[in-house]
Amino acid sequence: MSATRLLVLGVVRMHGGSGGAHGYQVRRELLSWSADKWANVQPGSIYHALKKLALEGLLRQVETPQGRGPDRLAYTLTDAGEDAFQQELQQRIADVDGAAGGAYEFAAALVFVTALPRRLAIDLLEHRLGQLDGQRENVATVLDNGTGPGHPAHVDELYRLWLAHCDADISWTTDLIARLRAGEYVMADDAGHNFGSATPSATS
């Protein structure tokens, strides 16, 4: 699932309610978060994602009489949409994806981390931390043994950059786990939870 699709599901989940979330509401919310910069979300792709997710049964269209044109349609999350959101959220928090776009998808998941119960979020981040440790070990091994015969010496700088990225990610993930353990942030199983909460009208 792309970063845009996950973000759209999450915002509809937050604002859908019984009347649904309009496309312009979803677009306004994501642009107010600057998601076009850190998740590469293009404004036009938001409307495309809404329509596609509705066709797939992850969102349900609701007609609103006060709207005109595209704005007459609003969207709520279906049960299948809730399942897809939770599955993708958990996978993206837990897994270190080296493929293109992985950073965007992790960023999209991170903004909804409080939609998870605290213990689950910690477990997923600890899984991620284990993968990061493995990545760091692999990169460090290459640096220790050299990148191979025939490679220019300056190629090592790329591995040093990757090593620095691993160290930064490990440090940040470790700190976030500690903050969650200390009770920081209102998570899905905490009293008073609201950000990213599922709407009570989510039905299939």
Side-chain angles (χ1 to χ4, degrees):
M1 182 180 290
S2 70
T4 298
R5 285 163 60 89
L6 178 58
L7 286 165
V8 167
L9 279 178
V11 172
V12 173
R13 186 179 189 268
M14 290 170 60
H15 297 296
S18 58
H22 290 279
Y24 71 84
Q25 291 176 301
V26 177
R27 180 180 183 274
R28 182 181 59 196
E29 185 77 17
L30 290 176
L31 293 181
S32 75
W33 298 357
S34 298
D36 53 323
K37 298 178 176 64
W38 50 259
N40 197 33
V41 174
Q42 303 304 313
S45 68
I46 294 170
Y47 293 99
H48 176 75
L50 285 165
K51 293 176 182 176
K52 190 75 164 53
L53 290 165
L55 285 173
E56 294 172 7
L58 304 183
L59 296 178
R60 184 177 69 250
Q61 288 184 342
V62 180
E63 288 206 16
T64 55
Q66 69 271 24
R68 293 182 178 180
D71 291 341
R72 78 182 187 280
L73 293 177
Y75 299 86
T76 60
L77 207 65
T78 64
D79 287 344
E82 173 68 16
D83 290 344
F85 172 80
Q86 288 290 339
Q87 181 178 352
E88 188 70 14
L89 175 62
Q90 293 174 34
Q91 179 180 338
R92 291 300 173 188
I93 292 293
D95 292 340
V96 178
D97 187 351
Y104 294 141
E105 290 153 2
F106 177 70
L110 182 61
V111 297
F112 293 114
V113 70
T114 57
L116 297 171
R118 187 175 302 275
R119 182 67 255 175
L120 177 58
I122 291 171
D123 288 345
L124 295 171
L125 287 164
E126 286 178 336
H127 180 79
R128 178 181 182 83
L129 189 59
Q131 293 184 60
L132 289 168
D133 286 336
Q135 279 193 355
R136 189 195 188 285
E137 183 177 350
N138 291 338
V139 174
T141 297
V142 172
L143 274 174
D144 289 343
N145 297 332
T147 53
H151 288 179
H154 66 269
V155 171
D156 284 355
E157 294 304 328
L158 181 59
Y159 285 86
R160 291 189 181 98
L161 175 62
W162 289 338
L163 191 65
H165 285 172
C166 286
D167 286 339
D169 207 341
I170 288 168
S171 176
W172 172 83
T173 305
T174 301
D175 288 346
L176 177 55
I177 290 170
R179 289 193 294 274
L180 290 175
R181 283 178 173 158
E184 194 163 340
Y185 305 122
V186 180
M187 305 299 289
D189 54 343
D190 292 336
H193 175 73
N194 49 30
F195 180 82
S197 295
T199 59
S201 61
T203 57
S204 52

